[in-house]
């Protein structure tokens, strides 16, 4: 390896993970198990000469070891797991993953496991060891409501990927979007406020369309179906100034039974996790 002789004994003493497999004298295949980063290099097999015959060496073979990307993290979430912004304010987030080979590809996800593909830029540079890479992805967007954001990192050699800790974005004056997973035929009660009010009038909306007949603190939905998938239910109540303010937002997500789910390539954050667990 790299011009250094490993030895002639088939067990290669001093190299616990190396072995010259085979029972025949003319077979000297080299087995490395497990392969580690330090095994990278140029390998040659040499047959000793004798009686004035020079040794014969094989053509060199270069061994490169792929590496799984490091745990991704959102820089803004390293000190606090929540940031508060004003309505309409642009947010810039940065996600990093180090140590991957080939370089990691970073993707962004919202709290419902949907990929965020708005204004994203990605930069890759070699690390100090000159063998691995650091990937930095920057996301710029304007949240319309409170939400959670995560990033994931994977490469071609390790497609399962790793997922960062979430960062919660809270919009001043707006509640965070809650997610309720429902199946066909489910019923659900959504309370506008945990406290009971007798002298206040509530307003309910589905996808920003007001339900004029509903004015109580609770909205009951029966026989949920896929046609309402990704629908958002909002509730508002008048504040001290007499202005209507949204106090709760719930997104209804259709969750089909596992028997009906088709087998497809991973496209959501949930599927990345499922793929990863199948490798463990």
């Amino acid at each position: 390896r790299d011009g250094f002789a490993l030895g002639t004994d088939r067990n290669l003493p001093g190299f616990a993970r190396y072995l010259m497999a085979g029972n025949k004298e003319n077979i000297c295949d080299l087995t490395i198990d497990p392969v580690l980063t330090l095994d990278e290099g140029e390998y040659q097999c040499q047959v000793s000469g004798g009686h004035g015959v020079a040794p014969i060496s094989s053509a060199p073979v270069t061994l490169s070891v792929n590496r799984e990307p490091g745990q991704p993290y959102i820089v803004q979430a390293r000190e606090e797991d929540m940031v508060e912004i004003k309505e309409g304010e642009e947010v810039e987030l940065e996600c990093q993953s180090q140590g991957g080979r080939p370089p990691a590809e970073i993707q962004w996800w919202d709290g419902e496991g949907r990929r965020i593909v708005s204004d994203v830029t990605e930069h890759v540079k070699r690390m100090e060891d000159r063998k691995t890479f650091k990937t930095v992805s920057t996301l710029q967007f304007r949240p319309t409501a409170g939400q959670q954001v995560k990033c994931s990192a994977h490469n071609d050699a390790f497609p399962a990927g790793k997922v960062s800790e979430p960062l919660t974005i809270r919009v001043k004056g707006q509640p965070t979007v809650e997610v309720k997973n429902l199946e066909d035929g489910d019923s659900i009660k959504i309370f506008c406020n945990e406290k009971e009010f007798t002298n206040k009038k509530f307003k309910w909306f589905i996808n920003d369309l007001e339900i004029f007949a509903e004015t109580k603190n609770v909205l009951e939905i029966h026989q949920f179906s896929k046609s309402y998938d990704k629908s958002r239910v909002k509730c508002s109540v008048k504040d001290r100034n007499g202005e209507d303010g949204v106090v709760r937002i719930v997104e209804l997500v259709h969750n089909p039974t596992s028997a009906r789910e088709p087998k497809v390539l991973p496209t959501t954050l949930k599927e990345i996790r499922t793929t990863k667990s199948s490798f463990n």
Side-chain angles (χ1 to χ4, degrees):
R1 183 183 66 189
D2 295 330
F4 176 78
L6 301 177
T8 57
D9 190 305
R10 286 190 175 276
N11 293 321
L12 297 177
F15 301 92
R17 295 176 294 104
Y18 289 27
L19 175 68
M20 279 196 290
N23 298 319
K24 297 181 180 180
E25 294 184 359
N26 62 342
I27 297 178
C28 299
D29 296 340
L30 176 64
T31 300
I32 306 175
D33 186 19
V35 176
L36 303 179
T37 301
L38 54 85
D39 298 317
E40 287 191 329
E42 189 176 83
Y43 289 80
Q44 284 181 287
C45 174
Q46 185 181 82
V47 178
S48 299
H51 305 291
V53 179
I56 302 174
S57 299
S58 68
V61 174
T62 300
L63 174 65
S64 299
V65 181
N66 291 327
R67 304 177 200 180
E68 186 175 14
Q71 179 68 33
Y73 62 90
I74 299 175
V75 174
Q76 289 75 12
R78 303 209 78 175
E79 295 184 0
E80 297 184 8
D81 58 3
M82 185 187 76
V83 295
E84 188 173 62
I85 64 171
K86 297 178 181 179
E87 186 173 359
E89 181 180 347
E90 184 178 72
V91 176
E92 181 175 299
L93 303 177
E94 183 178 294
C95 177
Q96 297 185 10
S97 176
Q98 305 179 20
R101 181 176 176 177
E105 177 185 344
I106 292 178
Q107 297 176 332
W108 292 90
W109 309 87
D110 65 17
E112 287 80 56
R114 296 174 299 204
R115 188 176 174 186
I116 303 174
V117 291
S118 52
D119 191 358
V120 177
T121 57
E122 189 170 279
H123 300 281
V124 176
K125 67 177 182 179
R126 287 186 181 273
M127 299 188 66
E128 293 181 359
D129 61 7
R130 309 303 299 171
K131 295 181 179 179
T132 58
F133 298 87
K134 175 182 178 180
T135 303
V136 178
S137 177
T138 302
L139 167 68
Q140 291 179 311
F141 72 123
R142 298 180 187 274
T144 57
Q147 60 181 281
Q148 282 194 336
V149 177
K150 297 180 181 181
C151 62
S152 65
H154 72 280
N155 61 20
D156 293 339
F158 297 89
K162 295 179 178 179
V163 182
S164 73
E165 292 296 321
L167 174 69
T168 299
I169 298 175
R170 184 176 181 274
V171 180
K172 291 181 180 179
Q174 289 190 9
T176 300
V177 177
E178 306 168 50
V179 177
K180 299 293 183 181
N181 292 292
L182 302 171
E183 296 182 3
D184 290 318
D186 282 353
S187 298
I188 186 174
K189 288 184 178 181
I190 302 175
F191 289 87
C192 187
N193 197 302
E194 293 181 356
K195 298 181 180 180
E196 288 291 337
F197 295 98
T198 56
N199 58 346
K200 286 195 175 185
K201 181 179 178 181
F202 298 89
K203 290 184 178 181
W204 290 93
F205 303 82
I206 293 184
N207 296 329
D208 294 324
L209 298 176
E210 184 175 354
I211 311 172
F212 293 99
E214 300 293 340
T215 58
K216 297 182 179 180
N217 188 32
V218 59
L219 175 69
E220 296 187 42
I221 298 177
H222 301 282
Q223 295 295 315
F224 176 80
S225 66
K226 187 178 180 180
S227 61
Y228 287 97
D229 186 34
K230 301 297 189 300
S231 293
R232 288 198 173 185
V233 177
K234 298 181 182 179
C235 174
S236 69
V237 64
K238 291 186 182 296
D239 58 20
R240 295 178 181 178
N241 299 321
E243 298 180 355
D244 286 321
V246 177
V247 296
R248 192 171 186 190
I249 304 174
V250 178
E251 182 167 311
L252 307 178
V253 177
H254 182 255
N255 185 28
T257 58
S258 58
R260 298 178 182 176
E261 291 181 348
K263 295 182 179 179
V264 296
L265 293 174
T267 56
T268 67
L269 183 61
K270 179 180 178 182
E271 290 170 345
I272 280 184
R273 287 175 171 165
T274 304
T275 302
K276 181 177 180 181
S277 65
S278 68
F279 279 88
N280 295 335

